[in-house]
Amino acid sequence: MRQRLHSFLAAGLVALAVAVPAVASAADAVRVRGTVVARTGDVLEVKAREGDVVKIKLKEGFHINAVAKAAITDIKQGDYVGIASLPKAQGGDGALEVLIFPAAMKGLGEGSYGWDLKPKSSMTNATVSNAVKSVEGSTVTLTYHGQEKKISIQNGTPIVTLIQATADDLRAGAAVFVSAEKAADGSLSSGQLVVGKDGVVPPM
């Protein structure tokens, strides 16, 4: 059972690892953030954060995960995390959101890449080599491919981990993060989705 769950999570986490340029070019990789309008068969309609309604064809055997709330105190040395961040005026980076990966996913999509959560944001998938907590929050040192990056995490920053979900969770009004592929004709398709559940919204 544990092995099957790890396999399920591994497939779902690919949605968060597509920041790796080798997986898909910028021209055909599209990240859709929004809320579900409806699902009819294998077609998912999402009202994107930009305001338009897009249709996404769900690939056969598509995988879906949900997010569960976590906390700064859950981040330990040796954990593998994905952190979207922005450069701070005083130097360093400040976290926009944090995903704590399940242990079996350590090393997936390792690196630091441009991200589109906000202008000039980046996504860093890396191992926590050091975590220093203070009254105001925490600063973590991330290591990847022999490099280091320090990111401060202020109190109130969304921090989540992944849990299992099903297609039934893709109900109208549910918040979703969809890693999609754009075809030459402009149509979108996806085999990887992350959905909000129990009031927790995908922050990535």
Side-chain angles (χ1 to χ4, degrees):
M1 179 61 137
R2 179 176 296 177
Q3 184 177 0
R4 288 198 336 223
L5 178 57
H6 283 172
S7 298
F8 182 90
L9 288 171
L13 279 167
V14 175
L16 304 177
V18 293
V20 183
V23 176
S25 69
D28 58 19
V30 178
R31 302 181 190 100
V32 179
R33 302 169 175 88
T35 56
V36 175
V37 175
R39 182 172 69 92
T40 306
D42 62 354
V43 176
L44 184 70
E45 293 183 58
V46 177
K47 184 174 182 180
R49 67 176 180 179
E50 294 78 11
D52 54 328
V53 175
V54 298
K55 291 186 177 181
I56 304 168
K57 179 178 173 57
L58 302 176
K59 296 181 180 181
E60 184 177 356
F62 71 92
H63 297 278
I64 177 171
N65 290 112
V67 284
K69 190 174 182 180
I72 286 179
T73 52
D74 295 322
I75 302 173
K76 305 291 192 303
Q77 185 174 347
D79 283 348
Y80 192 69
V81 299
I83 303 180
S85 63
L86 275 175
K88 299 191 301 180
Q90 61 270 41
D93 270 32
L96 297 171
E97 58 84 18
V98 180
L99 168 69
I100 304 173
F101 285 87
M105 302 302 102
K106 188 170 185 175
L108 186 65
E110 183 177 5
S112 189
Y113 315 96
W115 197 244
D116 58 356
L117 183 59
K118 287 187 177 182
K120 299 182 180 180
S121 64
S122 61
M123 173 64 74
T124 304
N125 289 352
T127 300
V128 177
S129 57
N130 186 39
V132 180
K133 297 178 176 62
S134 65
V135 175
E136 294 78 19
S138 177
T139 296
V140 295
T141 302
L142 304 181
T143 58
Y144 57 93
H145 301 315
Q147 301 182 57
E148 285 191 351
K149 184 173 185 177
K150 292 183 182 294
I151 302 178
S152 63
I153 305 170
Q154 296 301 305
N155 291 330
T157 300
I159 302 175
V160 300
T161 188
L162 295 181
I163 59 173
Q164 192 169 356
T166 70
D168 291 337
D169 293 309
L170 294 175
R171 58 177 64 91
V176 289
F177 171 83
V178 185
S179 181
E181 298 170 14
K182 188 174 184 178
D185 62 1
S187 62
L188 299 178
S189 62
S190 178
Q192 313 289 347
L193 306 91
V194 180
V195 64
K197 193 173 182 179
D198 299 327
V200 184
V201 175
M204 64 286 294

